Amino acid sequence: MRLLSFATPDGPRPALLEGDEVLPLRAGSLRDVVGGAPVVPTGRRIPLDEVEIAAPFRPGKLIGIGLNYRDHAAETGKDVPEVPLLFAKLPTAVTAPAGPVVLPAYTAAADFEGELAVVIGREARGVPAARALRHVFGYAVMNDVSARDRQRDEPQWVRAKGADTFAPWGPWITTADEVADPQALSIRTWVSGELMQDGTTADMVFPVAELIAFISASFTLEPGDVITTGTPAGVGQARTPPRFLRDGDVVRVEIDGLGAIEHPVVGS
Ligand code: MG
């Protein structure tokens, strides 16, 4: 299934995507569905191009993984971590897949990171990697927008990763049963039409199952938590000269089988 949230005057509503049609659901929110609410359509059908797709939902926890692709670690001049490098993005960073991403005044070096987002559907605490994928509800696309200057000069990354609009995601959640292997997905990022990242989730240092095992040994993952799993090489900071995001840019991130998110960047 592909499940999305779409904007209404009364706030976002959950829906099932069937071909080019959106079937609104009776559930209160897509997060409720992720938590186990049944997928029951109301009977309405709306053409996809007539709805405004919202962020799937605001996660309880949004956990980021740093340096999880060897080629990205190499381009930043860092060693590959020996254990997953966790950080938190703030739930208020979440925004619609169509954005916009609004650059805060405190950065002059905002960067893009196309990533596979993992949506937790079953509570996970101390789960071994061999059983970890059973706790995944589905997958989506995220841009882990990052303020490189603040990431460099502040030891905690809360501002670097947590600004409002720094986590556009969607366009929908594809349920785990439709993703045969989360470690075999091509992922590409364009900025204003130029291909910047062209990677595969096969290159993750710590695959999704190991991430869930590691995180759930540290703290509980709950339904509606989201892990954004790191980015492949090609980020703006690693380019010569660096290519940071600027007012008027359009970022597109696409993952095979999961769709694409595309959003403008607006200067502060
Ligand atoms: Mg990242």
Side-chain angles (χ1 to χ4, degrees), residues 131-144:
R131 294 207 300 270
L133 293 185
R134 297 179 193 175
H135 294 258
V136 176
F137 179 87
Y139 300 92
V141 182
M142 187 173 291
N143 181 6
D144 172 22

Side-chain angles (χ1 to χ4, degrees), residues 64-67 72 87 113-115 144 146 148 161 228-231:
I65 310 296
L67 304 176
H72 173 61
F87 60 88
E113 296 189 349
E115 306 201 358
D144 172 22
S146 304
R148 298 296 182 207
K161 298 284 194 174
T228 191
T229 55
T231 201

Side-chain angles (χ1 to χ4, degrees), residues 163-245:
D164 291 354
T165 74
F166 268 25
W169 76 302
W172 39 72
I173 298 171
T174 301
T175 50
D177 58 296
E178 295 192 5
V179 180
D181 182 359
Q183 307 308 143
L185 303 172
S186 294
I187 176 166
R188 287 172 296 275
T189 305
W190 291 260
V191 176
S192 297
E194 184 180 352
L195 182 63
M196 295 291 190
Q197 297 184 286
D198 188 1
T200 164
T201 59
D203 290 339
M204 281 187 195
V205 177
F206 301 102
V208 173
E210 289 185 31
L211 293 174
I212 292 171
F214 181 83
I215 295 168
S216 77
S218 311
F219 47 83
T220 302
L221 286 168
E222 299 178 302
D225 287 348
V226 173
I227 305 165
T228 191
T229 55
T231 201
V235 299
Q237 175 180 244
R239 296 176 172 272
T240 309
R243 173 61 166 92
F244 296 119
L245 296 176

